[in-house]
Amino acid sequence: MASVLKSTNRRLNFVLHFILWGAIVCFIFDLSGATSFSQKNQRSSIPDGFQSADYASDSWDETTLLQGSSQKILEAQFFEASIRKRELQGGANEIRTGIQLKLIHRTSLLSPHSNTQSAKIDILKELLELDAARLMRGYRLSSSSSGNPQSGYLASTNAVRKKHKAADVAHTKYSSESANNRISSGSTLGSGQYFVDFYMGTPARRYSLIADTGSDLIWVQCYPCSKCYPQSNPIYYPNKSSSFSSVSCSANQCFLVPAPTQASCSSRFPTSCQYTYIYNDGSSTSGFLASETVTMISSSGESLKISNITFGCGVSNAGQSLRGSNGVLGLGQGPVSFASQLGYLYGSRFSYCLVDYLTATADSSLLVFGDAKIEQSLKNAIQYTPLVKNPFAESYYYVGIKHVCLNGQILPIPSKLWQITSAGYGGTIVDSGTTLTYFRNAAYSLIVAAFQRAIPVPRVAPIQGLDLCFNFSAASGINIPEFSILLEGDVLFQPPPENYFVDTALGVKCLAMQGVDSPLGSNTIGNLLQQNFHVEFDRSNARLGFVWANCSSSS
């Protein structure tokens, strides 16, 4: 009996040892495979599938589709994970509380690209052509989308992985600090937007990006480029940066960008995260999502590195408005914008002060994150109006207009022309990427008629698409009427005449506004009207602030 028990115990021990060693071997195998997979997909190299910039064709798993409140949870998880992973390196305390980069305006006399022979009207003509493409394509996209208008400045080709734009997630445990970047007009580079120098990678390399409050994604032209437009400096090479890391298609941030129609993702073996963005003027970028270290360099040469910034590596990019740039710096309210990713560091607040780019000067404009670099006198005088939510276009900065006034008199414009409809159309957007100010036609015609009655000088034929032009050459002592906008919160935005009347010929001035033909279009406050104003986007308090400032003196 004892021998039988002894034999049974030996067999049992053998089985247990066999099971234990089998489990250990399987664990090591799985760990090795996972490590290999992780290194394969997260290493500092080009993700598989982009060696020839081809996209996969399999369908996404149904479990990867997100809707409603689960999308908001995912956005919050993305922010929290970013905070844990992001690190700051270098930089004195004063750099961490305010960093200023000296950038040169595209038409500045200091700019190597400056063309002193360019006339204002030639520059303006190019800007208006870009405005037309940017706005009108957007209206066509809006009217073709059933029940889901893309009334802002981005149209997604995402047919499978849905893009839901995020409301800002405020991070109050960080103090309000600031960082300044000089931004410059790119008008004669084939773009109506502003440019900001952006240092990315390890070692850091400079890229000139369009600073755009009307879009979210940060992206650069990236090797391997299957379709890229010409740029003056080298494109971004992932393999040349030790801090590059690709983003998996199963990662949280991948669900916050629009996917190509043929994108695929296996929950078992996820590949790199593919994206496609189409802008209103027809410009586009496609590629894969990644993370990098961004370096902010002060004018004194000190630097501050910020790790794990999510960006798009664009391998197929095209469009007139992108030429002359290396990509786009999205400053919208979406979760992957630069303003959102940096928000927790600087109190979810950024601002800019735009100089007159139609006049060749040695001055540059200013982009500020946080408020530590803002003069106290401006802080004391700034007025705020609430940011208005549009559930169909949450990335864009909407404000509410109550009245438009001329010489202090309220114009009889129906209030419905300022409102966002239940379908998400209309409303008023503040945009750095549009030149003129645009009003819906019914409002615009009343504004034009009021100016025409108030200016007793000869009217001349429209010039370069500007409808209302006057010849002031024989007039003396004639003042241009005061134009103002009464915003929600009963704050008055009153720009100087040079912001809404531009010189187009000797003695001739034209109204720098146009009408919007489409009933689906939005009103847009463009960058000309914002010049020499400190404009602040205070996202943590859901408000937009403004105060007159001599932006040239801040250069």
Side-chain angles (χ1 to χ4, degrees):
M1 185 68 174
S3 62
V4 171
L5 288 174
K6 197 171 185 181
S7 175
T8 303
N9 285 337
R10 276 200 217 98
R11 289 194 190 97
L12 184 61
N13 285 336
F14 175 80
V15 171
L16 289 175
H17 277 81
F18 180 84
I19 293 172
L20 178 61
W21 280 107
I24 291 172
V25 169
C26 289
F27 175 79
I28 293 172
F29 178 82
D30 284 347
L31 183 62
S32 173
T35 303
S36 174
F37 174 77
S38 175
Q39 290 174 345
K40 179 180 179 183
N41 285 276
Q42 301 297 329
R43 69 187 186 278
S44 297
S45 62
I46 303 163
D48 291 343
F50 283 92
Q51 298 297 335
S52 59
D54 291 329
Y55 294 130
S57 58
D58 296 335
S59 299
W60 279 66
D61 296 339
E62 289 295 322
T63 55
T64 64
L65 298 181
L66 298 175
Q67 296 187 24
S69 60
S70 57
Q71 179 72 16
K72 299 296 183 185
I73 294 171
L74 188 63
E75 291 161 3
Q77 290 173 346
F78 167 57
F79 278 112
E80 291 169 4
S82 297
I83 291 171
R84 289 194 299 269
K85 292 173 62 180
R86 200 157 293 146
E87 297 178 354
L88 298 182
Q89 302 173 12
N93 288 336
E94 62 182 273
I95 299 301
R96 291 177 181 240
T97 58
I99 182 170
Q100 181 170 319
L101 308 182
K102 185 172 179 57
L103 301 181
I104 306 300
H105 191 281
R106 181 58 183 83
T107 56
S108 168
L109 297 176
L110 299 177
S111 171
H113 306 290
S114 177
N115 182 0
T116 57
Q117 304 302 316
S118 294
K120 275 188 180 182
I121 190 60
D122 294 329
I123 296 174
L124 194 60
K125 176 184 178 182
E126 185 176 2
L127 296 178
L128 297 188
E129 290 173 351
L130 292 167
D131 271 8
R134 182 176 175 93
L135 294 168
M136 294 312 298
R137 179 176 171 85
Y139 303 145
R140 289 197 295 273
L141 290 167
S142 296
S143 61
S144 64
S145 60
S146 58
N148 186 19
Q150 295 288 338
S151 57
Y153 296 96
L154 172 68
S156 169
T157 58
N158 179 12
V160 184
R161 186 181 70 228
K162 295 188 176 181
K163 175 181 174 64
H164 295 271
K165 296 183 176 182
D168 180 46
V169 178
H171 299 282
T172 55
K173 68 176 184 177
Y174 291 87
S175 61
S176 176
E177 302 172 329
S178 72
N180 304 348
N181 290 337
R182 294 291 176 176
I183 59 179
S184 54
S185 170
S187 59
T188 55
L189 286 174
S191 170
Q193 296 90 349
Y194 289 81
F195 286 77
V196 58
D197 273 2
F198 198 70
Y199 293 83
M200 194 170 73
T202 304
R205 299 180 186 274
R206 182 182 67 85
Y207 302 94
S208 181
L209 306 185
I210 296 169
D212 187 13
T213 57
S215 63
D216 291 338
L217 186 67
I218 312 163
W219 66 270
V220 295
Q221 293 210 106
C222 190
Y223 179 84
C225 257
S226 63
K227 180 183 178 184
C228 284
Y229 54 85
Q231 63 180 55
S232 56
N233 53 329
I235 65 172
Y236 173 82
Y237 276 75
N239 289 343
K240 293 184 177 181
S241 172
S242 61
S243 51
F244 169 85
S245 179
S246 64
V247 170
S248 165
C249 63
S250 62
N252 287 347
Q253 57 265 51
C254 190
F255 294 93
L256 305 177
V257 295
T261 55
Q262 294 182 337
S264 65
C265 187
S266 166
S267 58
R268 184 176 176 83
F269 299 110
T271 58
S272 58
C273 175
Q274 302 169 32
Y275 76 86
T276 291
Y277 260 49
I278 299 179
Y279 297 90
N280 276 7
D281 64 352
S283 301
S284 64
T285 175
S286 296
F288 56 91
L289 213 59
S291 67
E292 252 297 8
T293 294
V294 169
T295 303
M296 306 189 79
I297 305 174
S298 72
S299 56
S300 61
E302 295 180 285
S303 64
L304 177 65
K305 291 185 177 181
I306 308 170
S307 65
N308 293 301
I309 294 294
T310 300
F311 77 104
C313 220
V315 298
S316 179
N317 319 296
Q320 179 188 5
S321 66
L322 300 175
R323 294 190 179 275
S325 76
N326 304 141
V328 174
L329 184 72
L331 296 173
Q333 296 196 77
V336 295
S337 79
F338 192 61
S340 294
Q341 294 191 60
L342 241 61
Y344 75 95
L345 287 173
Y346 304 113
S348 292
R349 181 186 292 110
F350 75 94
S351 59
Y352 52 64
C353 200
L354 308 179
V355 299
D356 180 1
Y357 58 73
L358 292 180
T359 302
T361 70
D363 298 323
S364 57
S365 298
L366 183 67
L367 173 66
V368 181
F369 290 92
D371 65 358
K373 283 289 183 179
I374 309 301
E375 295 178 9
Q376 190 60 46
S377 60
L378 294 180
K379 292 181 184 179
N380 294 339
I382 195 167
Q383 301 181 82
Y384 290 99
T385 184
L387 287 171
V388 178
K389 287 287 186 184
N390 183 345
F392 292 97
E394 292 184 336
S395 287
Y396 313 116
Y397 297 98
Y398 284 86
V399 294
I401 292 180
K402 296 181 71 174
H403 301 291
V404 166
C405 308
L406 206 64
N407 285 333
Q409 299 296 313
I410 295 175
L411 301 185
I413 300 173
S415 60
K416 66 179 182 180
L417 296 177
W418 310 127
Q419 297 169 356
I420 299 174
T421 70
S422 59
Y425 301 113
T428 302
I429 297 170
V430 177
D431 183 34
S432 66
T434 302
T435 303
L436 300 187
T437 290
Y438 293 83
F439 293 110
R440 296 174 68 179
N441 262 349
Y444 174 69
S445 60
L446 292 172
I447 293 170
V448 168
F451 270 114
Q452 189 170 359
R453 290 192 302 268
I455 301 178
V457 299
R459 184 176 175 180
V460 299
I463 299 176
Q464 300 295 357
L466 298 177
D467 301 321
L468 191 63
C469 300
F470 297 94
N471 189 344
F472 286 87
S473 58
S476 60
I478 302 295
N479 295 323
I480 293 176
E482 293 181 352
F483 175 81
S484 58
I485 301 175
L486 184 64
L487 298 166
E488 292 292 343
D490 291 328
V491 295
L492 194 67
F493 176 64
Q494 187 170 331
E498 57 267 26
N499 284 25
Y500 53 90
F501 265 91
V502 293
D503 297 321
T504 55
L506 184 62
V508 176
K509 296 179 182 292
C510 295
L511 181 66
M513 300 178 188
Q514 283 188 344
V516 173
D517 290 331
S518 172
L520 306 179
S522 301
N523 306 295
T524 304
I525 297 176
N527 56 48
L528 274 179
L529 204 64
Q530 301 175 54
Q531 288 181 355
N532 283 312
F533 274 87
H534 172 79
V535 181
E536 178 185 290
F537 299 82
D538 182 0
R539 298 172 54 192
S540 61
N541 294 303
R543 61 184 185 174
L544 182 138
F546 59 90
V547 60
W548 185 89
N550 185 353
C551 296
S552 295
S553 66
S554 301
S555 301

